[in-house]
Short mmCIF file of all heavy atoms in Angstrom, two decimals:
data_model
loop_
_atom_site.label_atom_id
_atom_site.label_comp_id
_atom_site.label_asym_id
_atom_site.label_seq_id
_atom_site.Cartn_x
_atom_site.Cartn_y
_atom_site.Cartn_z
N LEU B 285 89.94 101.33 73.99
CA LEU B 285 88.81 100.83 74.76
C LEU B 285 89.26 99.59 75.54
O LEU B 285 90.23 98.93 75.16
CB LEU B 285 87.65 100.44 73.83
CG LEU B 285 87.19 101.50 72.83
CD1 LEU B 285 86.01 100.97 72.01
CD2 LEU B 285 86.84 102.80 73.52
N VAL B 286 88.56 99.28 76.60
CA VAL B 286 88.89 98.13 77.45
C VAL B 286 87.64 97.33 77.75
O VAL B 286 86.58 97.91 78.00
CB VAL B 286 89.42 98.57 78.84
CG1 VAL B 286 90.08 97.39 79.56
CG2 VAL B 286 90.32 99.76 78.74
N ASN B 287 87.79 96.01 77.79
CA ASN B 287 86.83 95.15 78.47
C ASN B 287 87.53 94.63 79.72
O ASN B 287 88.34 93.70 79.66
CB ASN B 287 86.36 94.00 77.60
CG ASN B 287 85.36 93.11 78.33
OD1 ASN B 287 84.89 93.45 79.42
ND2 ASN B 287 85.05 91.96 77.74
N ASP B 288 87.20 95.24 80.84
CA ASP B 288 87.80 94.85 82.12
C ASP B 288 86.95 93.74 82.72
O ASP B 288 86.00 93.98 83.46
CB ASP B 288 87.83 96.08 83.04
CG ASP B 288 88.40 95.75 84.42
OD1 ASP B 288 89.41 95.04 84.48
OD2 ASP B 288 87.83 96.24 85.42
N VAL B 289 87.29 92.50 82.35
CA VAL B 289 86.50 91.34 82.80
C VAL B 289 86.56 91.24 84.32
O VAL B 289 87.63 91.38 84.93
CB VAL B 289 87.04 90.05 82.15
CG1 VAL B 289 86.23 88.84 82.61
CG2 VAL B 289 87.04 90.18 80.63
N SER B 290 85.42 91.03 84.94
CA SER B 290 85.33 90.95 86.40
C SER B 290 84.56 89.71 86.80
O SER B 290 83.61 89.31 86.12
CB SER B 290 84.61 92.19 86.95
OG SER B 290 85.37 93.35 86.70
N LEU B 291 84.97 89.10 87.88
CA LEU B 291 84.28 87.93 88.42
C LEU B 291 83.52 88.37 89.67
O LEU B 291 84.05 88.41 90.78
CB LEU B 291 85.29 86.82 88.73
CG LEU B 291 86.12 86.36 87.52
CD1 LEU B 291 87.19 85.35 87.92
CD2 LEU B 291 85.22 85.79 86.41
N ARG B 292 82.25 88.76 89.45
CA ARG B 292 81.46 89.40 90.51
C ARG B 292 81.30 88.51 91.74
O ARG B 292 81.22 89.00 92.86
CB ARG B 292 80.07 89.76 89.99
CG ARG B 292 80.08 90.72 88.81
CD ARG B 292 80.41 92.12 89.22
NE ARG B 292 80.37 93.01 88.05
CZ ARG B 292 80.92 94.23 88.03
NH1 ARG B 292 81.55 94.70 89.10
NH2 ARG B 292 80.85 94.96 86.95
N GLY B 293 81.25 87.21 91.50
CA GLY B 293 81.04 86.30 92.62
C GLY B 293 82.22 86.24 93.57
O GLY B 293 82.07 85.87 94.73
N LEU B 294 83.40 86.61 93.07
CA LEU B 294 84.60 86.55 93.91
C LEU B 294 84.91 87.89 94.57
O LEU B 294 85.77 87.96 95.46
CB LEU B 294 85.81 86.11 93.07
CG LEU B 294 85.70 84.76 92.36
CD1 LEU B 294 87.02 84.43 91.64
CD2 LEU B 294 85.34 83.64 93.33
N ILE B 295 84.24 88.96 94.15
CA ILE B 295 84.62 90.30 94.63
C ILE B 295 84.29 90.51 96.12
O ILE B 295 85.16 90.96 96.87
CB ILE B 295 83.99 91.40 93.74
CG1 ILE B 295 84.70 91.43 92.38
CG2 ILE B 295 84.09 92.78 94.42
CD1 ILE B 295 84.17 92.46 91.39
N PRO B 296 83.09 90.19 96.59
CA PRO B 296 82.81 90.53 98.00
C PRO B 296 83.79 89.87 98.97
O PRO B 296 84.32 90.53 99.86
CB PRO B 296 81.38 90.02 98.20
CG PRO B 296 80.77 90.00 96.83
CD PRO B 296 81.91 89.63 95.91
N GLY B 297 84.06 88.58 98.77
CA GLY B 297 84.99 87.89 99.66
C GLY B 297 86.39 88.46 99.57
O GLY B 297 87.07 88.62 100.58
N GLU B 298 86.78 88.82 98.36
CA GLU B 298 88.14 89.34 98.18
C GLU B 298 88.29 90.74 98.78
O GLU B 298 89.27 91.03 99.46
CB GLU B 298 88.46 89.34 96.68
CG GLU B 298 89.92 89.27 96.39
CD GLU B 298 90.22 88.64 95.04
OE1 GLU B 298 89.68 89.12 94.03
OE2 GLU B 298 91.03 87.69 94.99
N LEU B 299 87.31 91.59 98.55
CA LEU B 299 87.41 92.95 99.11
C LEU B 299 87.31 92.92 100.63
O LEU B 299 87.92 93.74 101.32
CB LEU B 299 86.35 93.87 98.51
CG LEU B 299 86.48 94.17 97.01
CD1 LEU B 299 85.66 95.41 96.63
CD2 LEU B 299 87.92 94.35 96.56
#
Side-chain angles (χ1 to χ4, degrees):
Chain B
L285 308 181
V286 194
N287 180 10
D288 178 43
V289 180
S290 295
L291 302 175
R292 300 286 181 197
L294 302 184
I295 289 179
E298 205 153 54
L299 294 198

